[in-house]
Amino acid sequence: MTERPTFVMTEQIDNSRTCVNHLHFPAGSETRWHRHERDYVIVPMNSCELLIDSGGGAKPVKLTAGECYYRDAGVEHNVINPSEIDITLIEVEIK
């Protein structure tokens, strides 16, 4: 089995109230399994479909550019870009 490339996270802001990260998912990449220690909001910069695996198998999730979604801290998951295009998300962690 071929290992997927890993996404690239670039921290843009880190202060006493928030941490904002630029998430770049090259075509075919993934986050690998991880858990967020804080509640967070994701802002998709492109409309796309990602696969999100929270332990029960990867499920497709459609995202629309500019339509945010919120997640509570603590859920272990892996995010996969199955497409042939690069995808960008902005992640805002709430401290």
Side-chain angles (χ1 to χ4, degrees), residues 20-69:
V20 179
N21 299 304
H22 178 273
L23 310 179
H24 176 73
F25 286 82
S29 66
E30 67 179 322
T31 59
R32 301 229 169 39
W33 286 93
H34 67 284
R35 177 176 316 184
H36 294 260
E37 300 300 321
R38 303 175 185 125
D39 296 341
Y40 63 100
V41 173
I42 295 292
V43 183
M45 303 308 288
N46 342 44
S47 293
C48 59
E49 185 171 284
L50 296 173
L51 298 175
I52 299 181
D53 191 344
S54 296
K59 304 216 181 328
V61 175
K62 290 187 180 188
L63 304 177
T64 301
E67 289 187 13
C68 306
Y69 70 89

Side-chain angles (χ1 to χ4, degrees), residues 12-24:
Q12 294 185 331
I13 298 169
D14 188 7
N15 61 35
S16 63
R17 301 189 64 190
T18 64
C19 182
V20 179
N21 299 304
H22 178 273
L23 310 179
H24 176 73

